[in-house]
Amino acid sequence: MIREDEQKMNRRKEQKQLIYYGLILFFLLLLLLIVSLRISEVKILGNKQYSEKEIKAMLFQDEWDEKSAYAFFKEKFRPHKSLPFIERYEMRWKNPWSVEVIIYEKNMVGYVQYMSSNFYFDGDGVVVESTKKKAPGIPEVKGLKFSSVSLYKALPVENKGVFQDILNLSASLQQEKISCDYIEYSGTQAIIHVGGIRVLLGGNEDMEQKVMSLKDILPALSGRKGTLDLSEFKGRKEKEAYIFRENK
């Protein structure tokens, strides 16, 4: 009777051991499966300065970056990469193999060249980026007078109100999808260069209306070189509100 009891206890012990090792094997296989899962679908949202391909190349540089578990750990517990023109980014998992990357770009309205670098500034004139790269859609601004430039500090210009003017002009150009070579300021007077056309826009008054009219005028001046004067613009209803002087 005692021998039978010992046999039953041994069998129970063996069964428990089998269950225990089976659970260990199950969790090891599960862990192996999780670690080996790769991200196969990446959706990029909010990007303007970089293409989807460029964002993927910067965030997923090697094979480990494409592993779901490693990418999740890296996103939650490691500092994010510092990327030019990008304020921050987030990763949101739809499932272990599909992720959305939300890009939050820095607010930039223009840039100035200084010491062979491009310094991008926001609507308050604060320099938010320094790089040799040129960001598409962000115009160069010439004519601002300053003696030094510091990252994360406002450009030390005498007329601080010029930054609001630049913001309004830059936003109007983007709204009307007008690409200019650069913006120039002479005091408070704005001048933009579009191909061979030098456009005098004058002060900030009625800037949106001036740019809307410019969009209508430019097709008629295609291929020509000269100066278009919109500085005395009084309203889009006036047919003779501008003067164009051809270069000789």
Side-chain angles (χ1 to χ4, degrees), residues 145-150 154-158 160 163:
K145 300 187 186 316
F146 49 85
S147 57
S148 63
V149 180
S150 299
L155 287 170
V157 298
E158 186 175 342
K160 302 295 183 182
F163 297 121

Side-chain angles (χ1 to χ4, degrees), residues 18-246:
L18 286 173
I19 293 171
Y20 175 73
Y21 289 123
L23 288 173
I24 291 177
L25 180 60
F26 171 77
F27 283 113
L28 285 175
L29 290 173
L30 182 62
L31 180 62
L32 180 62
L33 176 64
I34 292 173
V35 170
S36 63
L37 277 175
R38 297 173 65 88
I39 299 172
S40 59
E41 182 181 351
V42 179
K43 187 175 182 180
I44 310 295
L45 302 173
N47 57 310
K48 293 180 181 178
Q49 298 301 327
Y50 295 104
S51 67
E52 186 172 302
K53 184 178 180 181
E54 287 175 322
I55 294 289
K56 289 179 181 178
M58 288 188 287
L59 296 182
F60 304 96
Q61 294 183 341
D62 54 43
E63 186 176 350
W64 274 103
D65 287 333
E66 296 177 356
K67 302 283 189 181
S68 293
Y70 179 78
F72 181 82
F73 174 84
K74 192 174 179 182
E75 157 71 9
K76 299 300 181 184
F77 303 106
R78 298 279 299 276
H80 281 185
K81 294 180 180 179
S82 178
L83 304 176
F85 311 124
I86 305 299
E87 186 72 39
R88 61 189 178 92
Y89 63 88
E90 298 176 0
M91 290 187 178
R92 296 177 182 173
W93 267 260
K94 298 299 182 181
N95 51 57
W97 54 87
S98 177
V99 64
E100 280 185 353
V101 181
I102 297 91
I103 302 296
Y104 299 91
E105 296 186 342
K106 291 179 178 178
N107 177 28
M108 302 176 294
V109 299
Y111 74 91
V112 294
Q113 287 192 342
Y114 183 77
M115 300 290 287
S116 72
S117 289
N118 301 322
F119 290 84
Y120 290 81
F121 58 88
D122 63 16
D124 295 318
V126 176
V127 177
V128 296
E129 189 65 65
S130 171
T131 177
K132 294 185 182 298
K133 177 181 170 67
K134 289 190 177 181
I138 307 298
E140 180 184 359
V141 181
K142 297 183 179 182
L144 301 181
K145 300 187 186 316
F146 49 85
S147 57
S148 63
V149 180
S150 299
L151 198 59
Y152 308 124
K153 292 185 178 180
L155 287 170
V157 298
E158 186 175 342
N159 177 22
K160 302 295 183 182
V162 72
F163 297 121
Q164 184 61 49
D165 295 347
I166 295 171
L167 175 61
N168 293 341
L169 175 53
S170 179
S172 297
L173 291 171
Q174 290 184 14
Q175 177 68 30
E176 300 302 329
K177 299 181 180 179
I178 297 175
S179 178
C180 67
D181 299 322
Y182 62 92
I183 298 172
E184 182 181 355
Y185 272 88
S186 177
T188 59
Q189 304 299 297
I191 304 166
I192 67 171
H193 294 255
V194 183
I197 308 296
R198 181 170 176 261
V199 185
L200 310 181
L201 292 173
N204 193 48
E205 299 82 8
D206 300 316
M207 187 58 72
E208 291 183 7
Q209 293 294 320
K210 292 175 186 177
V211 174
M212 288 174 66
S213 287
L214 176 61
K215 182 181 180 180
D216 295 336
I217 297 167
L218 282 176
L221 301 178
S222 178
R224 301 171 69 180
K225 295 182 179 180
T227 299
L228 174 64
D229 191 349
L230 289 176
S231 60
E232 299 300 323
F233 179 87
K234 299 299 182 184
R236 299 186 73 197
K237 292 182 180 180
E238 294 193 13
K239 301 297 183 182
E240 303 299 328
Y242 66 89
I243 300 171
F244 179 70
R245 298 183 181 89
E246 195 113 27

